[in-house]
Amino acid sequence: MDFRVRYQGTLNLLIALLIGCWIGLKVLPGLSFFRPTMPTVEESIRLQALRGDLEKKLEETLKLSPNIVDSRVHLGKGTASVTLQLGQADIGSEQIESIAYLVAAGVDGLPAGRVAIFSSDGTQLNRQSLEGYDRKQWWTDLTITVGKVLGILAALVTLRYIIQSVGAFNNSRESAKVG
């Protein structure tokens, strides 16, 4: 009896397992089996000091811009807020966008769409930009979720096909033994 015919069911299950693993790795990226460790008190103090230094450097850099008299920068987890005291002239939308990119470039993993910029009287200067970023992020997340669901469905259809193939093969083997 040929090797492939004799072990066809086992080979089909092995192929299904490999396909399932491949799809699982594509559908569930970044799955970690280890919990992240909490920073120690010393590390937290050091990180807070570094964040404070970065905030001060960004504030000093912003003060060098024309029509900006003073600035305050606050960095949070994945967000930043900037308060500007403006001079006599207003600043344009291009300069506001540049400020958002400047702050985002100073922080690893911070997109410019997560930097809120306010004037000293409390007016949000980049509201439309933030709303556009949120809308884009929502559609991106939806697309990724739909892709994952379709990947899982494809894996289930593939698994069903393989199970049917194994069942058909086993039925043909049993009928060959009987006959």
Side-chain angles (χ1 to χ4, degrees):
M1 192 183 279
D2 186 41
F3 174 81
R4 196 178 88 203
V5 173
R6 184 173 182 193
Y7 295 105
Q8 186 67 40
T10 306
L11 289 174
N12 284 343
L13 288 176
L14 180 62
I15 291 170
L17 177 65
L18 292 174
I19 290 171
C21 289
W22 181 80
I23 290 173
L25 290 174
K26 291 294 182 183
V27 171
L28 303 170
L31 183 64
S32 176
F33 296 103
F34 304 103
R35 294 192 322 180
T37 59
M38 296 297 292
T40 63
V41 174
E42 293 83 18
E43 289 173 339
S44 296
I45 293 170
R46 184 181 64 81
L47 290 173
Q48 192 167 0
L50 287 173
R51 186 173 69 194
D53 288 343
L54 180 58
E55 289 173 347
K56 284 185 185 356
K57 287 179 182 177
L58 288 169
E59 290 168 2
E60 292 170 7
T61 302
L62 291 174
K63 289 177 194 176
L64 297 174
S65 298
N67 299 325
I68 297 177
V69 176
D70 197 14
S71 65
R72 295 286 301 162
V73 176
H74 298 282
L75 302 175
K77 285 189 173 185
T79 62
S81 64
V82 178
T83 305
L84 302 173
Q85 182 179 352
L86 301 175
Q88 297 297 326
D90 285 336
I91 58 176
S93 60
E94 287 183 16
Q95 190 175 2
I96 293 169
E97 189 175 325
S98 297
I99 291 169
Y101 281 105
L102 174 75
V103 173
V107 181
D108 287 339
L110 177 64
R114 289 282 173 222
V115 179
I117 302 173
F118 299 91
S119 65
S120 56
D121 66 1
T123 304
Q124 187 171 359
L125 302 175
N126 65 338
R127 178 182 304 272
Q128 290 178 340
S129 175
L130 293 177
E131 289 172 354
Y133 177 81
D134 287 340
R135 194 170 25 260
K136 180 181 174 185
Q137 191 63 41
W138 185 85
W139 281 106
T140 301
D141 292 344
L142 177 68
T143 304
I144 290 170
T145 302
V146 167
K148 287 180 179 181
V149 168
L150 291 176
I152 291 170
L153 289 175
L156 291 174
V157 168
T158 303
L159 188 59
R160 180 174 182 227
Y161 172 76
I162 291 172
I163 290 171
Q164 286 176 339
S165 297
V166 170
F169 174 74
N170 286 337
N171 288 341
S172 67
R173 265 179 73 186
E174 288 176 10
S175 63
K177 286 181 184 178
V178 173

